[in-house]
Amino acid sequence: MPQHDAIFRKKTESEQLKNIIATKLARAVYAGFEAMFAEFLNITLGAQSRFEQRQWHQVQTAMKLRLQVYEGQVKKVSEAVKIIAYSEVNDPALWLLAKQIYAEMVKNHENQPIAHTFFNSTFGAIWDSRKIRNVHLFVLKARYRLGPRPFDSLVSRISLQSGFENAIKTLVSRHVFRSDYAHFTDDIAMLQRTLIAGAKKQCPQVYELLALNDGYIEYANSLFFRNKACYIIGRCIAKNGDNMPFAIALLNSEKGLHIDAVMMGADQLSLLFGFARTYFMVDTDQPARYVDYLSVLMPHKQRFELFNAIGFIKHAKTEFYRYKVDTTKNSPPDDKYIIAPGTPGMVMLVFTTPGSDYVYKVIKDKFSAPKTATKQHVMAKYDFVKQADRVGRLVDTHEFRYLAFDLSRFSEELLTTMQRQIGDSLIISGNALILRHVYVERKMTPLNLYINQCDERKLELVMIDYGKAIKELAGANIFPGDMLMKNFGVTRWGRVVFYDYDEICPMTACQFRELPKSADSLEELSSESYFDIAENDVFPSQFKVFFSANKTAFSFFNAVHHDIFSVAMWQRLQAAINEGQLLDVYPYKQSWRFSEMRAKQG
């Protein structure tokens, strides 16, 4: 009997000790989450001041700093947890207990979903390459998925009873800045006319009530800052519930504030919240609830896209994984994975399903000639893009480790190709195919395929935008490297976006040169170079090879962008970058700008 009591007492003490350690572990993760969120918010809080003072370089610095906050805190917490847990840090039962304690701690937290993701990140950072079971993570179970919540505390409303013009004036005036408007009255009048015209075209019910001064304007209390602009987000709402979302773009020049454009309707707002844009800074301690509101304005946008747009990119990955699992379960069994349409890459194996809006990109074990880079080199390029101002021309990516897929969705032929090309990244476990490292990107039509299936008018427009994409990237200090059309995609808006990053680099790292003339014509025919070429040398005159297969496409491109083939243009852009100039790039059409509208009106 005494021996039995001793065993029981020892077991109880062991359980008590494990409970103490698990509680401390959960508290450490919770403290790290709160510290992460506070630091993230502190950087965001400076957005309005930077906008008012036109501190555009500081805007970019703040964006980069904010991107480092999450990983930095995860690293700090991971080190703290290793000390707290000590020899038990690798005990799965301890982590399961810590998860249960943590779940209670954040049960009623305003930002519970993001807090859950932070726990997942900490666990993942410590367990790293070992098999991670979903039982240790806040991922798929219904109780981890917070449903839409009321957002009344995040928005304000203005009645139209005193007239639409007064309501618009009130809307803009309620957002107070240190800077004054240069032409407030004219801007308000133009905004009123544009909103009415947009409602008449897009939402007749809203238009009728605007004309009758019935209904109201609703707007988000927090402003949305990005690059050189500030946006007022809201919607015009009729009493019957019909509504028209809008985003008012404010710019701040040396002459003062002015309204530059207004985007109307969910489709136009989707341009603003597009996947090739950098992230907004939104002053709020309720980001998950803001996503609920934005989902109402843009119902076709997935939640992970909206979390991503406001800078919570790690939680966006959690939301994407849920989306991926759900869509796989709900898709037909014959919707199997295939090699993505387009020219196969020399560095990446890219696959998708015909019904998916996304592609999965895995770095190959060995690169096809003449590529000589390493996996680490390619990963560094993708990290460079993540930190860059993508100016609407670089596809954002989600980087996953140990991402699982349904094995039954892969054909034997595709599996054979994957084992041959990405075998080092591939794990098959039971009914799952797991990729050790993979990038997820939005699916687009490759430009080289698009130009062969569009009419002549669309060909002209896309070639002009192709040139604009190259120039806008260059103005943002980004040289794409390999500018073949197969490396660009076309969005549903007909916008050209770059997505192949293994040769991307800063413009300032390039040396743009004229192609030297040879003394002997036979030298030019030789397979060997007849002059010395440095690794960073670029010869713009050779870019014409990109159009060798399509003379019509080249003629449209050359008519507008012939300067891309000259050294002078590239050197001029380099000089501007070195002088600290930042290119003005707008997430809306030039024709939507009020300055353009006024010019047309004479």
Side-chain angles (χ1 to χ4, degrees):
M1 236 1 227
Q3 185 179 5
H4 179 271
D5 289 344
I7 293 171
F8 178 78
R9 188 168 58 251
K10 189 171 183 180
K11 184 178 180 182
T12 303
E13 288 174 354
S14 175
E15 288 175 348
Q16 288 177 339
L17 180 61
K18 182 169 286 189
N19 193 70
I20 290 170
I21 295 171
T23 300
K24 288 183 177 181
L25 192 158
R27 288 174 60 197
V29 178
Y30 181 78
F33 166 70
E34 293 285 24
M36 177 280 296
F37 196 90
E39 191 175 353
F40 183 98
L41 188 56
N42 282 339
I43 295 173
T44 303
L45 287 169
Q48 180 161 336
S49 181
R50 289 186 286 269
F51 172 75
E52 291 166 340
Q53 298 177 64
R54 300 190 297 278
Q55 296 177 330
W56 311 132
H57 285 281
Q58 287 89 328
V59 167
Q60 293 197 335
T61 300
M63 185 270 291
K64 292 176 182 178
L65 283 174
R66 201 178 68 166
L67 283 171
Q68 298 165 14
V69 166
Y70 191 98
E71 292 289 359
Q73 279 298 332
V74 167
K75 186 176 181 180
K76 288 180 183 177
V77 174
S78 299
E79 294 304 316
V81 164
K82 287 175 184 176
I83 294 171
I84 292 166
Y86 190 49
S87 58
E88 289 91 348
V89 73
N90 295 321
D91 181 358
L94 177 72
W95 278 97
L96 195 58
L97 181 57
K99 177 191 171 188
Q100 294 167 355
I101 296 168
Y102 186 83
E104 282 299 310
M105 294 173 68
V106 301
K107 185 176 181 180
N108 298 312
H109 198 290
E110 169 62 33
N111 294 303
Q112 181 201 82
I114 304 170
H116 283 170
T117 291
F118 192 83
F119 183 95
N120 296 346
S121 298
T122 305
F123 179 73
I126 291 173
W127 282 63
D128 194 26
S129 61
R130 285 169 292 173
K131 185 176 180 181
I132 296 174
R133 295 176 60 207
N134 279 338
V135 71
H136 295 109
L137 304 176
F138 298 94
V139 184
L140 294 178
K141 290 187 177 179
R143 66 176 180 269
Y144 303 146
R145 305 192 189 198
L146 199 62
R149 295 175 294 172
F151 47 74
D152 292 352
S153 62
L154 305 182
V155 300
S156 298
R157 289 179 173 178
I158 304 167
S159 172
L160 300 183
Q161 289 181 354
S162 298
F164 187 55
E165 183 179 1
N166 284 333
I168 291 296
K169 191 179 297 183
T170 302
L171 168 67
V172 177
S173 299
R174 281 187 181 177
H175 298 282
V176 181
F177 298 92
R178 293 185 180 94
S179 307
D180 295 323
Y181 283 86
H183 304 287
F184 183 78
T185 303
D186 288 347
D187 283 356
I188 294 298
M190 179 65 80
L191 178 59
Q192 179 194 6
R193 291 195 299 272
T194 308
L195 281 169
I196 289 175
K200 186 175 183 180
K201 184 177 181 180
Q202 296 190 30
C203 193
Q205 293 87 348
V206 170
Y207 169 71
E208 289 173 9
L209 289 173
L210 292 182
L212 295 170
N213 294 329
D214 205 355
Y216 48 91
I217 292 174
E218 178 186 86
Y219 64 92
N221 295 328
S222 297
L223 294 164
F224 287 62
F225 294 91
R226 187 173 67 196
N227 293 341
K228 296 182 180 181
C230 165
Y231 300 90
I232 300 171
I233 306 291
R235 54 181 174 162
C236 298
I237 309 178
K239 283 190 174 179
N240 67 353
D242 289 331
N243 66 90
M244 182 184 73
F246 63 76
I248 301 168
L250 308 179
L251 301 183
N252 188 17
S253 68
E254 292 181 0
K255 295 179 181 179
L257 292 172
H258 66 274
I259 299 174
D260 192 58
V262 60
M263 286 141 280
M264 297 166 286
D267 282 345
Q268 290 189 12
L269 257 67
S270 71
L271 279 175
L272 184 63
F273 285 82
F275 56 83
R277 302 283 173 189
T278 193
Y279 313 113
F280 285 105
M281 291 206 173
V282 186
D283 172 11
T284 179
D285 55 4
Q286 299 176 292
R289 223 175 276 259
Y290 255 106
V291 166
D292 293 336
Y293 181 56
L294 293 171
S295 295
V296 171
L297 301 185
M298 295 170 283
H300 59 287
K301 283 279 187 186
Q302 299 296 331
R303 289 180 65 81
F304 66 85
E305 295 177 288
L306 297 172
F307 272 110
N308 207 56
I310 61 174
F312 288 89
I313 58 178
K314 294 297 181 180
H315 184 65
K317 287 172 60 176
T318 301
E319 294 281 351
F320 175 82
Y321 183 68
R322 291 168 179 161
Y323 164 84
K324 171 187 168 294
V325 171
D326 291 345
T327 51
T328 300
K329 284 182 179 178
N330 296 327
S331 63
D334 59 353
D335 189 29
K336 294 184 179 290
Y337 290 106
I338 58 171
I339 296 294
T343 306
M346 292 182 280
V347 171
M348 294 280 196
L349 181 143
V350 186
F351 66 94
T352 185
T353 66
S356 175
D357 290 328
Y358 295 86
V359 298
Y360 302 90
K361 303 175 70 170
V362 187
I363 303 174
K364 292 181 177 181
D365 298 337
K366 294 180 180 179
F367 301 160
S368 305
K371 299 288 186 179
T372 57
T374 63
K375 281 190 177 183
Q376 289 70 28
H377 172 89
V378 175
M379 290 168 67
K381 297 293 186 180
Y382 274 77
D383 188 57
F384 167 76
V385 170
K386 200 72 177 176
Q387 304 285 332
D389 179 3
R390 295 189 298 281
V391 295
R393 298 297 187 176
L394 294 174
V395 179
D396 195 12
T397 60
H398 289 299
E399 182 180 8
F400 284 90
R401 296 181 187 277
Y402 296 90
L403 185 61
F405 298 81
D406 181 353
L407 181 61
S408 69
R409 300 277 177 159
F410 293 83
S411 67
E412 286 298 324
E413 183 182 5
L414 179 55
L415 279 174
T416 301
T417 300
M418 295 175 78
Q419 288 167 338
R420 185 176 68 252
Q421 295 186 4
I422 59 168
D424 291 349
S425 297
L426 194 64
I427 302 170
I428 293 178
S429 177
N431 297 322
L433 182 149
I434 303 167
L435 292 173
R436 288 190 173 92
H437 185 254
V438 58
Y439 295 101
V440 181
E441 288 181 3
R442 187 75 180 221
K443 183 192 289 183
M444 292 175 289
T445 305
L447 180 56
N448 63 318
L449 299 185
Y450 181 89
I451 65 171
N452 292 323
Q453 62 192 36
C454 66
D455 59 36
E456 192 166 290
R457 176 57 181 159
K458 287 184 178 179
L459 178 61
E460 180 181 13
L461 291 174
V462 82
M463 284 297 102
I464 291 172
D465 201 56
Y466 174 35
K468 283 180 65 178
I470 293 169
K471 289 177 177 177
E472 288 175 4
L473 286 171
N477 196 20
I478 296 168
F479 181 66
D482 189 346
M483 292 187 290
L484 288 167
M485 281 187 268
K486 69 181 181 70
N487 297 327
F488 289 80
V490 183
T491 71
R492 66 189 182 96
W493 283 86
R495 186 173 176 82
V496 178
V497 181
F498 188 63
Y499 55 58
D500 192 304
Y501 302 148
D502 57 280
E503 292 189 15
I504 204 168
C505 68
M507 275 279 292
T508 48
C510 300
Q511 179 171 294
F512 295 97
R513 295 178 55 189
E514 298 284 2
L515 200 63
K517 293 181 179 179
S518 65
D520 183 350
S521 58
L522 291 177
E523 286 183 332
E524 296 184 13
L525 300 175
S526 171
S527 59
E528 300 293 328
S529 176
Y530 57 89
F531 57 92
D532 293 332
I533 303 176
E535 189 176 348
N536 65 335
D537 280 350
V538 180
F539 302 95
S541 62
Q542 293 187 319
F543 294 167
K544 293 179 182 179
V545 72
F546 302 152
F547 303 92
S548 58
N550 195 313
K551 292 182 179 179
T552 306
F554 175 74
S555 66
F556 286 136
F557 185 95
N558 196 48
V560 179
H561 299 298
H562 57 274
D563 53 346
I564 280 178
F565 306 121
S566 71
V567 171
M569 188 213 79
W570 295 95
Q571 291 179 341
R572 186 171 64 252
L573 285 171
Q574 270 186 327
I577 293 165
N578 289 327
E579 290 170 6
Q581 295 180 28
L582 291 176
L583 194 68
D584 292 326
V585 179
Y586 307 101
Y588 39 84
K589 294 181 179 181
Q590 188 73 11
S591 60
W592 297 355
R593 300 188 67 197
F594 285 5
S595 56
E596 287 285 312
M597 294 181 186
R598 290 188 179 104
K600 287 181 180 178
Q601 292 170 3

